[in-house]
Amino acid sequence: MQHCKTFSRQALASCAIVAALFGALPAHAIINGTPTTSFSAVGELGGTSGVLIADNWVLTAAHVANSLTAGASSFVSLEGSSLIDAIYTFSSSGFPSHDIALVHLSTSLEIATPFLNDVAITSSQLPSLGTLTMASAQNQSPNGYATTTAYGVTPTFATDSGDNATVNWLLTGGSARVQGGDSGSALFTGEVTDSAGELLLGIASAVIINDDTGIAEGSAYVQVASYRSWIDATMASSGQQAIWVSSVPEPS
């Protein structure tokens, strides 16, 4: 099963792509994460993660959605589960381009959901962004979370085939990072301990590796704000909508 992808940190400039992560889930998905029974809107999805953003809608990574089967796969949260009956990806392009997707649930889940950030973070706003929280459904009890900070943004990534993939990534560093099983998990603003009513910045897409040391140094999250029009239009088909909040910091 395919999980969170792996990239070179230098690759963001040198275009060298590193092998993807495959294999069984690790015991503790978020590196230096803390086990928790909170973050109910972050659930397990095909051995990875997704984030409930409305009663019948889950936001996840496209490379997660591509491994799911409507009518057979389920979203499993701390407060219930539901069968997936439809899958929508933003683009037919392969990973890492536009690594975002929505899945529709056959039955509603009455779980307090996060808000979605409606304005994409830019490089000039990074110093004012402050502490962020990553949360995954793949951890000890059974969810996990950790604090982190953002060090960069990139709208595109040049692959080893010479193509420019549109990624709209927010890049995070520090001691905590995602690994196999964390694809589709959440990045929230602030230092938070639950997902209810918090601001969702991004969806986990990739792991960044230092070319020189071979050590994983950070994580790449797809900014949800870059896909607001598509998210709204897709969810409108069932008469539901996400709640968008503008909370972008002023440039430093």
Side-chain angles (χ1 to χ4, degrees):
M1 181 175 292
Q2 186 169 309
H3 301 299
C4 211
K5 302 286 186 172
T6 307
F7 279 94
S8 161
R9 187 163 182 172
Q10 264 80 341
L12 298 172
S14 70
C15 307
I17 196 167
V18 180
L21 287 177
F22 293 91
L25 292 176
H28 313 291
I30 293 180
I31 299 294
N32 292 322
T34 300
T36 180
T37 53
S38 296
F39 294 96
S40 297
V42 183
E44 187 271 336
L45 194 65
T48 52
S49 296
V51 185
L52 189 76
I53 59 171
D55 289 354
N56 292 83
W57 289 96
V58 174
L59 195 60
T60 189
H63 74 269
V64 171
N66 289 336
S67 68
L68 304 174
T69 303
S73 303
S74 295
F75 174 73
V76 182
S77 75
L78 295 169
E79 297 184 18
S81 63
S82 179
L83 193 68
I84 295 166
D85 60 13
I87 299 167
Y88 305 88
T89 55
F90 177 84
S91 171
S92 60
S93 300
F95 181 89
S97 187
H98 298 299
D99 194 22
I100 196 164
L102 280 163
V103 298
H104 186 263
L105 306 180
S106 59
T107 56
S108 299
L109 294 177
E110 300 299 324
I111 297 172
T113 58
F115 303 138
L116 275 64
N117 180 48
D118 72 350
V119 179
I121 302 298
T122 63
S123 296
S124 63
Q125 294 163 330
L126 289 173
S128 303
L129 199 55
T131 301
L132 307 174
T133 301
M134 53 176 63
S136 173
Q138 299 298 331
N139 212 295
Q140 298 98 312
S141 66
N143 287 4
Y145 73 107
T147 57
T148 187
T149 55
Y151 71 82
V153 296
T154 181
T156 61
F157 178 87
T159 68
D160 57 354
S161 62
D163 299 324
N164 281 322
T166 301
V167 294
N168 294 310
W169 278 342
L170 181 66
L171 307 172
T172 65
S175 62
R177 63 181 184 276
V178 294
Q179 63 169 325
D182 290 323
S183 288
S185 60
L187 182 69
F188 298 103
T189 58
E191 187 172 350
V192 302
T193 57
D194 206 345
S195 49
E198 300 300 342
L199 190 65
L200 180 67
L201 281 181
I203 296 294
S205 176
V207 175
I208 308 302
I209 300 291
N210 186 303
D211 263 350
D212 296 328
T213 64
I215 297 173
E217 291 188 346
S219 312
Y221 287 85
V222 179
Q223 294 204 58
V224 297
S226 300
Y227 298 90
R228 176 173 180 172
S229 296
W230 172 77
I231 291 171
D232 285 346
T234 304
M235 294 177 64
S237 64
S238 69
Q240 289 184 289
Q241 61 182 15
I243 302 174
W244 297 87
V245 175
S246 180
S247 185
V248 177
E250 293 296 324
S252 175

